[in-house]
Amino acid sequence: MSELVALRIENNIAVITINNPPVNALSHGVRVGLSDKIQAAIADDAVQAIVLNASGRTFPAGADVSEFGRPRETPILSQICDLLETSPKPTIAAVHGNALGGGFELALACHYRVVLRSAKVGLPEVKLGVLPGGGGTQRVPRIVGAEAALELMLSGKLISAKHAHDLGLIDKIADEDVDQAAMSMATDVIAAGAKTVPTRDRIEGFQDAVGFANAVAKQRENKKNDPQPSVAKIIDCVEAAQILPFEAGIAMERAAFDECETGPEATAMRHAFFAERRAAKVPELKGAKLRKIDTIGVVGAGTMGAGIAISCLDAGFPVVLVERDQDGLERGVERIVANYDKSVAKKRIDAATGEERLSRLTGTTDMQDLSKVDLIIEAVFEDEDVKRNVFAQLDAVMKPGGILATNTSYLDIDALAATISRPQDVVGYHFFSPAHIMKLLEIVVGEKTDPNVVATGFKLAKKLRKVPVRAGVADGFIGNRVLAAYRLAADFMLEDGASPAQIDAAMRAYGFPIGPYQVLDMAGLDISWARRKRLAATRAPEDRYVTIGDKICEQGWFGQKTGRGYYIHDQDGGPVENPDVLAIIQEERKLLGITPRSFSAKEIQDRCLFAMANEGARLVSEGVALRPSDVDVVLLYGYGFPRYRGGPMMAADQVGLLTVKNALLSWKAEEPRFWEPSPMFDELIKNGRKFSDL
Ligand code: NAI
């Protein structure tokens, strides 16, 4: 079957089948096909009912995202929905796989819905910065009321067939052949008089009018500070479903959709969506011969090692966990057990699943036990000598063709690889803390790393349900390099007149969950202090260096773990500014003869953001990052960059590269090397291009 939409008549039933692999996206061609075939079926006197289904692995999983942001060619989805709903002959959707977004809206416009038990449905548009635009905001509340409708659309979550059935969104669950079940439903409906049930005429969801209005008011209050415009619009549209005639509600939904679709938030979220997929495309995948990974070893059972082990256990791998002594091992295993206990207590998994996962864990203090594993992930102390030592031991026991991945944050992977006999098997798998939760995985490619090892890493990342991004060897790879620039920009402002709390507040207002100094206090100030000490020898003497962080560390204040850092953490009611730190800052200003000046939130945000984008551009020029969008993916998935801003490179695009470049130049006198715009700005500006075009 090569037609995008096929029509066949079986007895007196028309079967319209969408055939647009891989996910039957509702592209323009599909919409044209649907429109033609639905009209043909309605016009055919031999047809008494219409079944709508899809071939391949799923009912339409949504719109064709590549059509977003451009004028939509007719027929648009809501016109197809109209045809299905106003059909004088009963229309029945037969759903398997995932009916998402426009796909689910198509089903909602049918008179009846039969869904395979394993299928899921949902309206995830909010995750792309838009709202259901095919009548979802009007039809769902008519069936289930405002509370459940808003939950579905504001969370964007998929729900099971059973849940959808309980809510009343679907009429029947099929256990085996959904197409067959839909056919027999069609036969029954015809036999009973071929009754049509247009969703627009349904009123079950309006029975409790006050409850409806209250649910709307409650979510409006909950979401009043949500920066994403589509959130408020979803609430408005659901409210309209109750008070406006159907057609007026649809018109309102259409206008709201159009407004959101081209706005900066939706543009940024679409960018994030595509950037993640693009990041998975790396040159090493071409013609790769993947290495087989059935078992994984983790060396070091500290914060990261334990989290990495959990991540691997969750993905179904047997894991051999190695520590240097019994005490360390016990602590590590305890962490892992505690994690599963918590997951079971919180009902995220059942007890049997927790036990099964733990049963695949073997703890040991003997490196020899790693001789059979296919992949070893090293997560010992961030210390070159310690790591070299561990590498040498692993080199002696590892099987030929095994992969040795290091989780180092900053160390030179090429230098480490050069110390052993198999540099081609060495790669960086840089997880983020907490490793079993954070989605980002930087895959760091060394000079000698075998491309197959890189490709295997990308494959593994999928199994671990991580978002992999390729990085070259550089101090801090992609993420920590950008982070360092962010912190430096913030530190300069600290010295020049801003306070840590002020900078944190400005960055939270921009959309980060917490500000840079809160992050530092959380991660431990000693970690970045160690890095600064390590880099001290190679720092250019003319570079501006802010010593405030060092002075705080010299007091023994390492943040949360010591109760004191930029903030004081030992008080009830959350962290408060540390007055002693403010005194250190003032002292420093005096020493340097700096007259403090004030910074607006906007200037703080601009300086931090443009510093990040500039560093990102440098990383791309140096070949550390393959493309600007990879930098965005790293910041989105590893550093809490707000998704509706799309990442620092996208944010710079939206501000305008000329504006960013001019701002960088205007700050250059303060610190020439740091604020020097990457040559990439000029290259792009002169060609009228943006980072997102690369
Ligand atoms: P940690 O100090 O919590 O854990 C290190 C563990 O390695 C300790 O349990 C220690 O006993 C063990 N260990 C040391 N030498 C060993 C040896 N010879 N054999 C076996 N085990 C040994 O450190 P953390 O934070 O887990 O960091 C580990 C690595 O992960 C470092 O390279 C770090 O830079 C990196 N990393 C850390 C992140 C973080 O947020 N903590 C984030 C990303 C990477």
Side-chain angles (χ1 to χ4, degrees), residues 299-305 322-324 367 379-382 386-387 390 407-409 430-431 433:
V299 185
T303 313
M304 293 307 288
V322 185
E323 255 293 339
R324 50 187 173 156
M367 291 276 192
V380 301
F381 298 135
E382 183 78 346
V386 174
K387 294 226 196 257
V390 167
N407 187 48
T408 182
S409 306
H430 187 209
F431 291 78
S433 181

Side-chain angles (χ1 to χ4, degrees), residues 157-177:
K157 281 192 189 142
L158 312 197
I159 59 173
S160 66
K162 159 126 192 0
H163 187 180
H165 187 257
D166 291 347
L167 287 173
L169 284 171
I170 61 181
D171 302 284
K172 190 173 165 44
I173 294 183
D175 279 306
E176 278 159 22
D177 188 337

Side-chain angles (χ1 to χ4, degrees), residues 40 76 251 256 281 321 362 425 453 517 528 595-596:
I76 60 172
K281 297 198 171 79
L321 183 66
T362 313
D425 300 333
V453 167
Y517 295 104
S528 41
T595 313

Side-chain angles (χ1 to χ4, degrees), residues 127 341 360 367 600:
K127 294 184 176 172
D341 284 349
R360 281 186 272 106
M367 291 276 192
S600 68

Side-chain angles (χ1 to χ4, degrees), residues 458-476:
F458 275 81
K459 181 86 195 262
L460 175 77
K462 283 264 132 47
K463 279 202 186 151
L464 299 180
R465 304 176 69 183
K466 301 288 179 203
V467 176
V469 178
R470 185 191 192 281
V473 175
D475 189 69

